[in-house]
Amino acid sequence: MVNRLRLLIGALGELAAGEGDLTRRVEMRSSDELGEMAGVVNGFVARLQPIMREASQVAQRTDTEIAGLGRRSAAAEAATARQCDEVAGSLQALAQMTQQLRGLVGEVQGGVEAVAAASSQMAQDNSDLSDRTAHAAEQLKAT
């Protein structure tokens, strides 16, 4: 009886420590209280075995999903980094074009000012020429 009790205590101790083999059962073929207790332990282990199997499968699927999420996250991070680089390049090109446009606007403005000055000078010269022509016409009439 003591050996059977030790066998039962050993099996329960392994289960309590989390080291029990859920495929094994306590082999005790007696109809006394120890045999009944072994049957209850075996029944508990039999119900616990599929729960632990399912928990293990869920853990494996979770690991697989986490690995997949990690890969997708790394791919998204790389794509984001590429897009940031592209945007930075576009902004740099835009800044260069803006600077070039400012230079062109300055050149056009200088050209417009030169045309305006030349037009003003031409208007003044035309006015002077008109005055001289009118004066010359009057002198011709007088003679």
Side-chain angles (χ1 to χ4, degrees), residues 123-134:
Q124 182 63 43
D125 291 346
N126 283 342
S127 177
D128 290 346
L129 180 62
S130 178
D131 288 347
R132 285 187 304 225
T133 304

Side-chain angles (χ1 to χ4, degrees), residues 72-92:
R72 288 190 294 275
S73 176
E77 184 178 346
T80 300
R82 281 191 307 274
Q83 288 174 349
C84 284
D85 290 344
E86 290 173 9
V87 168
S90 296
L91 288 174
Q92 186 176 12

